[in-house]
Amino acid sequence: MSIKKLFPILLLGLAVLTGLDGSAVAAVGQAEPWQLGLQDPVSPVAVEGHDFFILLTWLMTIITVVVLVLLLYVLYRFSAKRNPVPSKTTHHTLLEVVWTVVPVLILLVIAIPSFRLLYFADRVEDADLTLKIIGKQWYWTYEYPDNGNFTFDSLMIDEETAVAEGKMRLLDVDNPVVLPVDANIRLIMTSDDVIHNWAMPSLFIKLDAVPGRLNETWTRIPAEYAGTTFYGQCSELCGVNHAYMPIAVKAVTMEEYEAWVTKAQEQFASADLPSSVSVASAE
């Protein structure tokens, strides 16, 4: 590849690196046109994940630049014109040790924060409330077991309604998830049919909802984001209407959340089983 072709690629890489924080172009809770980098991190896990992303990007950039410089040096130093008599050397102990040890050290630099982030995002010991998420073809069902155990379905609103009401096309839903700020929220996910994936970029959540299995993670939304709506989508190919399973999470204050729970308990049917269940006798 010629230098002329490499130059625009290098410029693009520089533009991505200089815009990694995304503060000038990325909005909270949704992607923006011409956005660079990730969405602004909100939750503690998202902040840690964003820092890890920057670390990986710089490591990849450094490795790419070093390899490119070595290739250019080899092309220059060992061309037929400058090196008419090639070396007969077949082994170099120090070089072989270096190119074995250095990749191991790079992997350690990546592995340590990676494992730490995985354990940090796994679960929260003392949750203030639990949200159960059930994926279905092609919508989401949510249960609030700590607040009366009510449940409701969340479906994407049609395009005409979105345009008429000034809402987000393909992202807004009829019943958004409502969560309080400054609370540790346990998220439990499963599915009724096929594998779905509950993905919320600003909260750094992307977890499969698997039939017959419960997957768990957690999140916490700082108080400064009260009144913000975060958007996500199903990120696992789950059928013909996979593209129409948006996720909307509305962050509210604790007072607003308690008022919404009172209203939701009346609006939505309870998920509780009957107090007494009759079982047919085998006799």
Side-chain angles (χ1 to χ4, degrees):
M1 183 180 292
S2 65
I3 298 297
K4 290 184 178 180
K5 292 182 180 180
L6 280 174
F7 186 69
I9 298 177
L10 293 175
L11 287 179
L12 177 61
L14 180 62
V16 172
L17 286 175
T18 55
L20 280 179
D21 61 352
S23 58
V25 290
V28 174
Q30 64 189 63
E32 286 291 325
W34 299 98
Q35 175 182 322
L36 297 176
L38 303 177
Q39 293 183 26
D40 289 349
V42 172
S43 67
V45 175
V47 172
E48 293 288 333
H50 189 267
D51 293 341
F52 184 55
F53 163 74
I54 293 177
L55 171 65
L56 288 181
T57 305
W58 279 111
L59 281 175
M60 290 187 294
T61 303
I62 293 171
I63 293 171
T64 302
V65 171
V66 169
V67 172
L68 177 62
V69 170
L70 287 175
L71 286 174
L72 294 176
Y73 173 76
V74 169
L75 291 173
Y76 174 81
R77 174 65 180 82
F78 298 103
S79 63
K81 180 180 179 180
R82 293 178 178 82
N83 192 54
V85 181
S87 171
K88 300 295 184 180
T89 304
T90 57
H91 292 81
H92 194 290
T93 303
L94 177 60
L95 181 60
E96 293 180 358
V97 170
V98 169
W99 72 37
T100 301
V101 172
V102 170
V104 171
L105 295 177
I106 294 174
L107 290 177
L108 286 175
V109 171
I110 295 174
I112 293 174
S114 175
F115 289 140
R116 183 176 61 191
L117 178 60
L118 284 173
Y119 281 104
F120 183 55
D122 185 43
R123 59 172 55 90
V124 59
E125 296 297 332
D126 300 317
D128 298 308
L129 64 100
T130 299
L131 174 67
K132 185 176 180 182
I133 302 163
I134 305 171
K136 299 179 180 179
Q137 289 179 315
W138 287 271
Y139 60 96
W140 298 98
T141 296
Y142 299 101
E143 294 181 8
Y144 286 73
D146 298 334
N147 301 102
N149 208 26
F150 60 88
T151 180
F152 60 87
D153 297 331
S154 181
L155 292 84
M156 184 187 75
I157 61 176
D158 60 80
E159 185 173 354
E160 292 182 359
T161 302
V163 173
E165 298 180 2
K167 294 185 177 181
M168 299 290 294
R169 175 180 171 271
L170 299 180
L171 287 178
D172 264 309
V173 297
D174 54 356
N175 295 312
V177 176
V178 178
L179 295 177
V181 297
D182 279 348
N184 292 334
I185 303 165
R186 178 186 292 115
L187 303 174
I188 300 177
M189 305 181 194
T190 187
S191 171
D192 267 0
D193 35 57
V194 299
I195 299 177
H196 301 277
N197 187 286
W198 203 81
M200 183 64 59
S202 283
L203 303 181
F204 211 76
I205 298 173
K206 190 176 185 294
L207 193 62
D208 279 347
V210 183
R213 177 175 177 175
L214 293 178
N215 285 335
E216 180 179 335
T217 186
W218 72 284
T219 191
R220 182 184 180 91
I221 304 173
E224 61 188 281
Y225 295 102
T228 303
T229 300
F230 303 93
Y231 294 99
Q233 291 175 302
C234 176
S235 294
E236 186 71 55
L237 292 175
C238 57
V240 64
N241 286 334
H242 159 70
Y244 307 106
M245 285 185 65
I247 305 162
V249 174
K250 184 178 181 180
V252 297
T253 63
M254 184 58 72
E255 292 76 15
E256 292 173 330
Y257 176 73
E258 292 173 352
W260 175 82
V261 166
T262 301
K263 180 181 178 181
Q265 288 174 341
E266 299 176 358
Q267 180 180 359
F268 303 115
S270 174
D272 285 329
L273 291 173
S275 57
S276 60
V277 179
S278 300
V279 180
S281 173
E283 296 179 357

